Amino acid sequence: MRTLSRIGRSIALLTLAGLIAGCAILGDFGPSGEPGLPPLADGPIPPEFTAFVESQWPAAEARGVSRATFVRAFQGVGPDNDVLVRATSQPEFSRAIWDYLDDMAAESRIATGRDMLVRHRDLLDRIEATYGVDRAVVVAIWGMESSYGAILRDPTKVKNVVRALATLGWRGGSRAAYGRQQLNAVLRILEHHDVDARHMTGSWAGAMGQTQFIPTTYLGYAVDFDGDGRRDIWTSVPDALASTANYLKKSGWQAGATWGYEVILPPGFDTSLEGRSATLADWTARGFARAAGGAFPRPGDQATLLLPAGPGGPAFLTLRNFQAIKRYNNANAYALGVGHLADRLKGGGPFVTPWPRGYTPLDEDGRAELQSRLRAIGFPLDKIDGKVGPQTVAAIRAYQAQRGLAVTGHASLELLTLLRGG
Ligand code: CA
């Protein structure tokens, strides 16, 4: 799908990779901070915040949380202004998918992932036997979510999850309901003594541990694979990787199948086929071919055509397992990143078709503004919907030609800036 804005936001919301890619992090240590752990407060705790915390007690009690657990969880915890800034920032442009994928399949991430496949071979054998999920995909998710756990060891890059979610629940605007729901789940996790509140680290939006599970996902899918009685996705690699595999399996992972293929579009390709599903045999009959060469191993499998940067960039036929990966993070760019990194870990090469680099993609609001500005100066556009269909591309190309620009048809921030300037 073309809505990169949503992709960018959901990535930023859910992963530590997004946290690192974002703006500077306040590296301060609160009064209760201990070396190696993120701070719990920056100064005096406002009474409004304390009142908010107390207002969450009835819901916690109703879900079986003890008063002792509740009090201990919030001891010394104050609001985090950085979380509020992140929760309310709305960038009008999104990160280009090629920049995102360059980062996810960086040489260092590939090299470390290959080391991890060797180092944890026995563990991955057991996980694959138990859950039927491709080990390279499990390791790729680990690498994308937390750089194989490395991020958790840097207190300037993680937050205390109780603090982050309490802040969101308190004044997180459109994310307040999410913050409260997840905070309630955190208290239930603490009640079970899987982890103590001080060591519950994660992203500003509450994605926790090496797997970056939000608390409700943790409650539903985390497993104790090393058998010590605790589901520890923070410090136990067996628990973290098995939890990821369990989540993928429960999300419909099909054992023995892959996520999808990069394909070469047939000449004179019909752009309206994007998003359509058919069997790989049907796609072959229409002239689609694997970019890496060779036949599709399971021609009867259903596959959906994905053009993340339009017909001018790499094209993909995605399979059922692509949808399972999206349950982890509902973004095509994310699932593509996982699938591609997994392929690279197994020795595969980079994408064959180059990305149409060199412009800054707009988010949905930006695209809608671009459409309305083009219409205002006389280009025929039926709908202002933020979706770049053939009519919008034609209008952009006509405008670019009129202004003597390179005719690309891309809905870019550069073009919108030009239109705003008249
Ligand atoms: Ca364990």
Side-chain angles (χ1 to χ4, degrees):
M1 270 165 266
R2 301 179 204 93
T3 48
L4 261 176
S5 56
R6 226 166 282 135
I7 290 168
R9 272 182 211 151
S10 92
I11 289 162
L13 174 67
L14 287 170
T15 75
L16 281 165
L19 192 153
I20 287 167
C23 45
I25 292 150
L26 303 176
D28 48 351
F29 282 78
S32 315
E34 73 179 74
L37 288 175
L40 297 176
D42 298 324
I45 298 167
E48 299 87 350
F49 182 79
T50 307
F52 162 75
V53 166
E54 195 51 40
S55 75
Q56 300 306 295
W57 165 243
E61 188 181 27
R63 301 304 297 268
V65 175
S66 70
R67 186 69 191 171
T69 295
F70 187 86
V71 170
R72 205 161 44 234
F74 293 107
Q75 202 90 57
V77 172
D80 184 337
N81 194 51
D82 179 49
V83 169
L84 295 182
V85 169
R86 287 164 185 277
T88 51
S89 71
Q90 292 282 343
E92 67 181 358
F93 60 91
S94 51
R95 197 173 175 200
I97 189 168
W98 45 88
D99 290 335
Y100 174 70
L101 292 174
D102 283 352
D103 185 9
M104 290 305 128
E107 287 305 322
S108 60
R109 206 184 301 270
I110 293 169
T112 308
R114 287 178 179 163
D115 287 347
M116 293 298 171
L117 281 171
V118 174
R119 190 186 304 176
H120 298 290
R121 180 176 289 146
D122 294 346
L123 169 66
L124 290 163
D125 282 345
R126 285 185 286 126
I127 288 175
E128 224 168 45
T130 307
Y131 301 101
V133 177
D134 181 350
R135 68 184 64 207
V137 168
V138 172
V139 171
I141 289 179
W142 188 27
M144 286 179 62
E145 294 292 349
S146 65
S147 294
Y148 312 102
I151 287 166
L152 300 182
R153 295 188 284 275
D154 184 344
T156 66
K157 289 177 178 166
V158 291
K159 297 202 173 278
N160 177 275
V161 168
V162 176
R163 183 186 186 194
L165 290 171
T167 303
L168 279 183
W170 179 46
R171 286 187 181 165
S174 62
R175 290 187 169 138
Y178 162 86
R180 290 168 195 200
Q181 175 206 36
Q182 296 301 323
L183 190 60
N184 185 276
V186 162
L187 293 165
R188 282 143 63 199
I189 294 166
L190 292 170
E191 189 66 35
H192 192 263
H193 306 296
D194 282 300
V195 59
D196 76 85
R198 297 298 161 265
H199 293 87
M200 212 174 197
T201 52
S203 76
W204 68 268
M208 311 186 298
Q210 306 202 23
T211 61
Q212 292 289 280
F213 278 7
I214 59 172
T216 47
T217 300
Y218 176 97
L219 283 173
Y221 304 100
V223 294
D224 170 25
F225 202 71
D226 62 14
D228 72 348
R230 300 184 314 125
R231 299 182 290 172
D232 179 1
I233 58 171
W234 292 267
T235 64
S236 164
V237 171
D239 286 7
L241 299 189
S243 295
T244 293
N246 182 48
Y247 190 23
L248 289 172
K249 185 187 181 196
K250 298 267 167 61
S251 300
W253 184 271
Q254 195 175 14
T258 187
W259 62 274
Y261 300 98
E262 187 191 350
V263 293
I264 301 297
L265 300 172
F269 152 77
D270 171 6
T271 53
S272 73
L273 291 175
E274 193 191 356
R276 298 274 188 89
S277 289
T279 64
L280 288 167
D282 290 339
W283 288 112
T284 304
R286 285 174 177 272
F288 289 76
R290 283 182 70 175
F296 296 111
R298 299 162 57 108
D301 284 1
Q302 284 284 320
T304 304
L305 181 63
L306 175 68
L307 304 172
F316 303 92
L317 284 172
T318 66
L319 303 165
R320 203 170 108 188
N321 286 341
F322 191 80
Q323 298 306 318
I325 297 168
K326 284 179 71 176
R327 282 283 305 278
Y328 213 105
N329 184 337
N330 189 25
N332 287 329
Y334 177 81
L336 204 51
V338 168
H340 181 59
L341 178 56
D343 286 350
R344 301 293 295 274
L345 295 181
K346 289 190 267 196
F351 295 122
V352 173
T353 302
W355 293 101
R357 295 172 190 267
Y359 72 96
T360 311
L362 290 167
D363 75 357
E364 196 169 322
D365 293 343
R367 294 193 300 267
E369 185 186 339
L370 184 77
Q371 289 171 323
S372 61
R373 286 185 182 277
L374 285 169
R375 184 154 79 179
I377 56 174
F379 292 95
L381 283 164
D382 296 334
K383 277 186 289 188
I384 306 298
D385 57 4
K387 292 182 173 54
V388 181
Q391 202 183 33
T392 305
V393 172
I396 292 171
R397 293 175 69 90
Y399 175 74
Q400 287 172 324
Q402 192 185 83
R403 293 289 301 256
L405 306 166
V407 178
T408 64
H410 298 318
S412 70
L413 179 65
E414 293 77 8
L415 192 70
L416 179 59
T417 306
L418 202 63
L419 280 160
R420 283 173 179 167

